[in-house]
Amino acid sequence: MATIAPSRRVRRTPFSDGVEAAGVKGYTVYNHMLLPTVFRSVEEDYHHLKSAVQVWDVAVERQVELRGPDAGRLMQMLTPRDLRGMLPGMCYYVPLVDGTGGMLNDPVALMLSDDRYWLSIADSDLLLWVKGLAHALYLDVIVDEPDVSPLAIQGPKADELAARVFGDGVKDLRFFRYGYFEFQGHMMLVARSGYSKQGGFEIYVEGTEKGMPLWNALMEAGRDLDVYAGCPNLIERVEGGLLSYGNDMTRDNTPHECGLGRFCSTQTAIGCVGRDALLRVAKEGPVKQIRALSIEGNLPPCDRLWKVTAKDKVIGQVTSAAKSPDFGTNVAIGMVRMTHWDDGTQVQVETQDGPRMATVHEEFWI
Amino acid sequence: MATIAPSRRVRRTPFSDGVEAAGVKGYTVYNHMLLPTVFRSVEEDYHHLKSAVQVWDVAVERQVELRGPDAGRLMQMLTPRDLRGMLPGMCYYVPLVDGTGGMLNDPVALMLSDDRYWLSIADSDLLLWVKGLAHALYLDVIVDEPDVSPLAIQGPKADELAARVFGDGVKDLRFFRYGYFEFQGHMMLVARSGYSKQGGFEIYVEGTEKGMPLWNALMEAGRDLDVYAGCPNLIERVEGGLLSYGNDMTRDNTPHECGLGRFCSTQTAIGCVGRDALLRVAKEGPVKQIRALSIEGNLPPCDRLWKVTAKDKVIGQVTSAAKSPDFGTNVAIGMVRMTHWDDGTQVQVETQDGPRMATVHEEFWI
């Protein structure tokens, strides 16, 4: 395996010192920043995530801030999800699309106030798209990347750990809601959210100064909970069907193909870029869609698109895969054409190490 | 050192098989794609680059294509460089800026025809900025990322190697001009350009099919020239003052601060976004600017911004640094305030391993 080369361009985070001290073994780069991928081993991290509690450096979830009188209007331009019901204190998962309805990012939007939003983004320079629109349309809005770095607490013991540091009130937060909680004299935005199915929180840490103190406080407070450094876990996210932008969906895909139709209310999302294209798709339905697949045999790392075939015809692709200890099979995320997307359909997956037998499933494992 | 995690999101290139076979030891991620950073050792690669010839997988220089009646108008909107003199066959290095004159990218633009351009980009999703402008302004232009992957031939023997594969005609190409040359029945766009000071070419390979055949043909043809796989070399680029977007310049900087004022003809670049801001800067001059610095002592990797101080006051930053065998010092790229940017000024550089004495230089080493 090749190592990752150090440079300023691949940014460190306010928590990098803690990540290194915990013995990070692998990184990826996400939004021009270091994202840990493994600490002890992907499998050991997986079991630990499902049984204890982890602290994740997810500073790579950079924020795009929209601020000003036109912030709300611009927000609705970005997504086919109807935002009229959104209020301060809420988080919305929002598919963002271009003029043809192709996915540009799938952030969590936070409404901070009537004229101020954060988009907590996946891996693309969404800032440039939003700035381009705002500039060309002379919108009365400031678009920028504030110095905010999320830190996640994930796992079944996340509530207990968060309460020890932020107080019991944090336990009352509902899913995809946020509140402000005190840490060492600073009010911090804490949301019940995160990129796992194990539950937990994301703390939006402003600036760098409080980064390591918070990291250390969580590690200290959770010692008897078996807290450890962690990161989004490939096995767990594939089991749970958590999509990854750039892996499982790209600009080539509409939200409907990605199984995100339930987040689109295109008819009433007045002003949304790509509305015409998506109304068409919503009417006819997509001809391919995200599916879970179980794959037989030994798999190489899924570092490229794997074609899915049936009778030598390409009918889809697999874009994420991992061996699941809990489910005793290779779990995978792919996109399959409607001719073969029914539950139980037998297909073949073409890996770099040769073909493998596979089965299409309607539901993910969790 | 941590390894880099495999995933489809961090894309392989048409030349990845060749890169792996040559024993790549380090990668970075650039435009969501793998970019090799070291093969034998950074120092061995450096000596070899300066004495022989290397083949570089620079597929990460993705293309943003502008095509249609408004392509020329949109191109001029993107840059303060006056493009009126540009003709098909020419490459222009173009600083691209936002509304305040902040750098968004510094690609090489290729004019393919009157209504078709490629921007061969540095590390940011420039596509999203260009798409945002084109969409909001209803411009009559298609903006997309075509499947084009540059392969570079760099080093003093680059002309000889290129001629053996593309014919002697390639030697007549002038700097920053391109032409079409045949390889195995395909016409390929070959430009005299590249991210080193050693001279050479970049071949814009369309699709994936001809990637490895071209790689292998170059390796075969150059055997007696000591050809080897290479990559942009940190030491050589810092010696030569080749800036790296994301390292040495960001959205915070104007082209003038980056020493790119000579590429700005803002007065006549009618329609350029950020024109007002840049006219102001051009008039007053920047208060800080890119400088070469030599640094004493042993250095850790420059994986973060190093503050530059004088009498305990911050007067600049260093963003790239490497130990230069040929010049017997640590060479570095930084940005220094005008109070301290004169040649020979003594300053201090604050690395993660402590302070180091340094000297500001007006010129780079090559």
Side-chain angles (χ1 to χ4, degrees), chain A residues 1 4 8-9 125 247, chain B residues 1 4 8-9 125 247:
Chain A
M1 284 293 290
I4 192 158
R8 179 212 179 189
R9 183 177 53 76
D125 296 337
N247 281 311
Chain B
M1 284 295 290
I4 193 159
R8 179 213 180 189
R9 183 177 52 77
D125 296 336
N247 280 312

Side-chain angles (χ1 to χ4, degrees), chain A residues 315-356:
Chain A
I315 53 88
Q317 60 189 45
V318 159
T319 45
S320 298
K323 185 174 171 180
S324 162
D326 284 356
F327 295 99
T329 181
N330 296 303
V331 294
I333 299 175
M335 209 171 270
V336 180
R337 289 184 71 82
M338 64 191 306
T339 49
H340 292 76
W341 72 25
D342 287 346
D343 198 52
T345 307
Q346 301 294 311
V347 295
Q348 194 166 290
V349 174
E350 317 291 338
T351 79
Q352 60 266 35
D353 287 359
R356 299 285 186 276

Side-chain angles (χ1 to χ4, degrees), chain A residues 14-292:
Chain A
F15 320 110
S16 289
D17 289 345
V19 162
E20 287 165 2
V24 61
K25 292 205 181 96
Y27 279 118
T28 187
V29 177
Y30 198 98
N31 286 325
H32 313 278
M33 206 171 215
L34 288 169
L35 174 64
T37 55
V38 55
F39 282 87
R40 294 186 276 209
S41 75
V42 175
E43 195 167 322
E44 206 175 334
D45 291 353
Y46 159 88
H47 290 301
H48 179 259
L49 169 62
K50 285 186 160 189
S51 61
V53 59
Q54 297 183 347
V55 177
W56 293 4
D57 174 359
V58 283
V60 300
E61 297 170 4
R62 306 312 295 164
Q63 307 307 303
V64 173
E65 176 168 306
L66 281 59
R67 188 157 41 93
D70 285 339
R73 181 178 159 210
L74 180 53
M75 271 298 300
Q76 188 62 82
M77 287 184 63
L78 299 176
T79 179
R81 181 162 180 181
D82 187 335
L83 302 180
R84 283 176 300 174
M86 198 174 191
L87 295 169
M90 290 184 179
C91 309
Y92 270 30
Y93 176 75
V94 282
L96 306 190
V97 300
D98 67 13
T100 65
M103 293 285 297
L104 294 180
N105 206 293
D106 67 327
V108 172
L110 288 79
M111 187 177 187
L112 301 178
S113 65
D114 280 352
D115 61 356
R116 188 163 171 238
Y117 296 81
W118 280 348
L119 291 164
S120 191
I121 64 172
D123 184 35
S124 78
D125 296 337
L126 184 72
L127 183 73
L128 297 182
W129 168 249
V130 184
K131 264 183 161 326
L133 294 178
H135 179 89
L137 297 170
Y138 289 93
L139 296 184
D140 209 357
V141 62
I142 295 167
V143 179
D144 224 325
E145 178 182 315
D147 185 14
V148 173
S149 298
L151 184 70
I153 307 171
Q154 298 285 299
K157 298 178 187 167
D159 270 58
E160 178 58 28
L161 178 55
R164 290 185 189 180
V165 170
F166 293 105
D168 276 338
V170 81
K171 289 187 182 175
D172 298 330
L173 268 182
R174 288 158 56 202
F175 186 64
F176 262 49
R177 298 295 167 109
Y178 71 82
Y180 293 93
F181 297 87
E182 197 201 315
F183 173 73
Q184 295 185 355
H186 284 64
M187 292 311 282
M188 291 193 171
L189 192 161
V190 181
R192 190 182 286 276
S193 57
Y195 195 59
S196 85
K197 291 284 188 180
Q198 307 310 312
F201 303 90
E202 289 176 302
I203 308 143
Y204 289 70
V205 180
E206 299 195 49
T208 55
E209 200 194 325
K210 286 290 159 195
M212 281 311 299
L214 177 60
W215 175 281
N216 290 330
L218 288 165
M219 290 298 173
E220 187 63 32
R223 203 172 288 180
D224 63 305
L225 302 175
D226 190 26
V227 67
Y228 203 75
C231 49
N233 182 276
L234 177 66
I235 311 171
E236 198 268 351
R237 87 153 176 92
V238 175
E239 285 179 355
L242 289 172
L243 304 186
S244 163
Y245 185 74
N247 281 311
D248 310 311
M249 52 188 168
T250 70
R251 263 188 315 115
D252 288 335
N253 307 118
T254 65
H256 299 272
E257 289 173 354
C258 303
L260 304 176
R262 67 188 182 282
F263 297 106
C264 299
S265 32
T266 314
Q267 190 64 47
T268 57
I270 312 288
C272 162
V273 172
R275 187 163 176 270
D276 295 346
L278 289 183
L279 284 175
R280 174 58 54 192
V281 176
K283 194 168 171 158
E284 301 182 346
V287 298
K288 58 184 175 187
Q289 203 164 41
I290 285 287
R291 281 291 182 273

